[in-house]
Every structure is written in structure tokens, then in C-alpha cells.
Amino acid sequence: MFLSRTEFFIAKRYLWPGKGEGIIAVVVGFSLIGVMLGVAALVVVMSVMNGFRAELFDKTTALNGHAVVQGYDGKLADWQRIAAVAKATPGVVSAVPLIEQPLMASSEGRVEGVLVRGMRLEDIRNGTIGKSVTAGHIADVAPGSNNVAIGSQLAQQLGVGVGASISLISPQGQTTPFGTVPRIVSYRIAAIFEVGVYDYDKAFVVMPIADAQTLLMLGDAVGMIEVQTVDADRVGQILAPVAQAARGSGEVRDWKQLNSSLFEALAVERVTMFVVLSIIIIVAAFNILSSLIMLVRAKTRDIAILRTMGATRGSMLRIFMSVGLTIGLLGTVGGLILAAIFLYFRQGVVNAAQFVTGQNLWDPSIRFLSELPARVDAIDVIGTVVMTIVLSLLFTLYPALRAARTDPVQVLRYE
């Protein structure tokens, strides 16, 4: 929208209503603030939702892979053959054996349900677990050492620390004339880790895969094979040969199936939040409409005089559309700046709100993650900016047309 010097001067003058037009200035100010808050809220919420999904995806796939090949009875006896097929499949990055078994853990009279995970030594030390140790030494967790690593939340619930012992209770024990006697084995806690996902930190007991096979009496078998691929979105297509090779022994389950309810809920919530927060921008656009209608009514005499001096209807249309578009642009820029500041200090804002209210606003047992995540998506930001500008133009069109259609003869007849 190109303006002449005269049109630019008039539009600039109308952005700052004159003396006696304070109510117009207030409405214009509220319109600008409304647009700013709407843009900021939409960008912040969409970024937090994107960060929440991305953080969950990164952490879950780092621990569980893009897919797993699970044995039908919890035991994968011919895992070496299946792992070899997986490693030879194009698009597969890694295929490693894994054992996961829910058991009970007790210490000093406290009992908690746990998920015992047996992993290869290099996967423990070089993977997510080894990089998330908060206490102790992961190097002490070695085959035959009788040492384990546990999650931070589990350590808190059991009231244990590094050097303490926990007893793992397995229902697969010795058979006697009176029934099966549960197998109870004590282990020393050598390290405590915190991966940042509450469900993992409260349940995982990690040990070398050989110790897990001994505890669960699996022999040389494992529970599953964890597979990483080059493209998580094409995991089903990539692992089709692996699923064929595992037929009869187990099944392939990808990250979408393992966490389907969680990621589907996040997708629905993301769309819902976008629709709800877009209403704020629509309301702000209505404020622009009302402020420009008031401005046109207040400037009717000025418009008539400008028309008699040679201003065209196109000039009036451009002037008032420029006023509305400027309000939308200023509000959009202000909203983006406000969103950037909030996202940068987001965890500090959450901590301050918790301190003031005395409430735990980010309970990891509910939110899964221990900190508020955020990941800005350029497409979401561009979509928000485009939507705001388009709405500003659309809601500016009516008062601008009304100003352009002003009949100077009717207005100045009795002047």
C-alpha cells in the first residue's frame, strides 16, 4: 500500500488523535495492546506445545528407540538373528538388545513398583542414562558388581541414596510344594540419574543386561530389540523387513504405537489451543474496527474538507486502511517481542508464579517433564503474523470504505 507524502502525513496525524479525542486514543491503545497480547499468547502457547512434544519425543525415543521388537511372551530367544536382519535393513541406524520387566523394589520397609531395565554396558555409560547422572558414578555399574542405577524420583520415594541397598522382588522364583517362592535379590545403588521424564525417573532401575538375565532367569534371551532409524516418521515402512523376520517370535511396535494416546492428546490440545487463542486476535481486530469507526465519525468534517480540496476516495481509503494496518503491525511486532522475552525467561516466570502463589504449577508427575519446554516453529510464527495482518486489513476495510464514501456536500451543507 503506497501513500503519497500528503496521505502519509494525514495517516500519521490520525494515529495520534487530537485534543478532545481522548476516548479515541484510549480505544486505539486498547486495540494495539489487544493485538500485542493475542500475538504473544498464541506464539508462546504454540512454542510451549511444540517444545513439549519435541522434548517428550526426544527423551522417549532416546530411551526406547524409534521402535522395539518385542517377544510375544516377554522373551526373545532368537534375538541375534532378528538384530542382524535389522542392522542390515536400509534406514536402520542401530539395533540393540534390551530387557524391561516390571518388578517390585523395597528398601527400609518402603515398597515401590519399578521397571527393571537391562542394557549393554556401552549403552548405559554413553547413552541418556550415563549423561543424566546426578549422584554417584555410572562406571560402578558393571556386570557382576551387584550395582544398579535408579531414577531420582524413585530414590526420593524409597528414601535412598548412593551406597544404599534395594531389594528387587521377582515373581519368577523357585517352585516348591507350597507354590512359587518369589525371587528376592539385593543390589547396591551406585548412581542416581534424572532424564527429565517423570515416568522414567520414578520407575527405572538400570543394570547390565547380563545381571538382568540372571535376575529374571532368561538365560541368553532378551526381552526386546531397540531400533533407531534415520526417519522416525517412516519407521513403519523402514522396518517392514524386520517385522517379517520377527514373525512367529515377536512383533514390531513403533513410537507411535507405544505412546499413541499421549501424542494424539498433544495434537488435539495443540489444535484446540490455536483455535481458542486465535479468538483473542479476532477480538483485538474488532477493537481496531470500533476505533476506526469512531475515528471516521470524529473526522467526518475533516474528510469532507479534504474531499473538496481534491482528495480522492482512493486517498481516503488508503489513509484509513494505513491507520488500521499500522495498529495491527505495531501490535504484531510488540507481541513478538513480548513472546520472545517470555520464552527466554519462561522457567523463571514459572518459578516466580509458584513462589507467589505457593502452588506447584509445573508438577512433573502430571506434566511428565521436569521443566517447561519451548521450541519456536517458524511456520507457526509466520502463520500468526499473516493471520493478524490479514484480520487487521479485513476489519479496517469497512470504516475505510465509509470514510471514502463520505459526501462532502451533505457534510458541509450547513457550514
Side-chain angles (χ1 to χ4, degrees), residues 248-326:
S249 300
E251 63 175 347
V252 176
R253 301 190 66 193
D254 59 33
W255 64 272
K256 299 175 184 178
Q257 296 169 317
L258 294 172
N259 307 280
S260 59
S261 58
L262 176 60
F263 285 103
E264 286 176 5
L266 286 176
V268 172
E269 186 175 359
R270 186 176 184 274
V271 174
T272 303
M273 294 303 294
F274 180 84
V275 172
V276 171
L277 292 174
S278 296
I279 296 176
I280 299 177
I281 297 179
I282 295 175
V283 171
F286 270 109
N287 284 336
I288 296 176
L289 172 66
S290 61
S291 63
L292 286 183
I293 290 176
M294 294 176 64
L295 182 63
V296 169
R297 289 181 62 87
K299 300 296 184 181
T300 299
R301 185 172 179 274
D302 294 357
I303 295 170
I305 293 174
L306 289 171
R307 289 294 310 282
T308 59
M309 294 176 65
T312 64
R313 290 186 175 183
S315 295
M316 294 295 101
L317 184 67
R318 288 192 293 272
I319 288 171
F320 283 95
M321 289 195 70
S322 298
V323 172
L325 182 60
T326 301

Side-chain angles (χ1 to χ4, degrees), residues 196-263:
V197 179
Y198 182 83
D199 282 1
Y200 297 154
D201 291 333
K202 76 169 184 178
F204 270 1
V205 175
V206 177
M207 63 178 64
I209 194 168
D211 292 351
Q213 288 172 331
T214 301
L215 172 65
L216 300 172
M217 297 185 297
L218 293 176
D220 293 331
V222 300
M224 63 185 70
I225 298 173
E226 175 192 291
V227 182
Q228 292 280 4
T229 65
V230 294
D231 188 352
D233 293 326
R234 296 177 52 247
V235 63
Q237 180 181 348
I238 293 173
L239 295 182
V242 181
Q244 183 68 27
R247 184 171 298 176
S249 300
E251 63 175 347
V252 176
R253 301 190 66 193
D254 59 33
W255 64 272
K256 299 175 184 178
Q257 296 169 317
L258 294 172
N259 307 280
S260 59
S261 58
L262 176 60
F263 285 103

Side-chain angles (χ1 to χ4, degrees), residues 14 17 20-29 291-292 294-296 298-299:
Y14 283 175
E21 299 173 347
I23 185 63
I24 299 178
V26 170
V27 175
V28 170
S291 63
L292 286 183
M294 294 176 64
L295 182 63
V296 169
K299 300 296 184 181

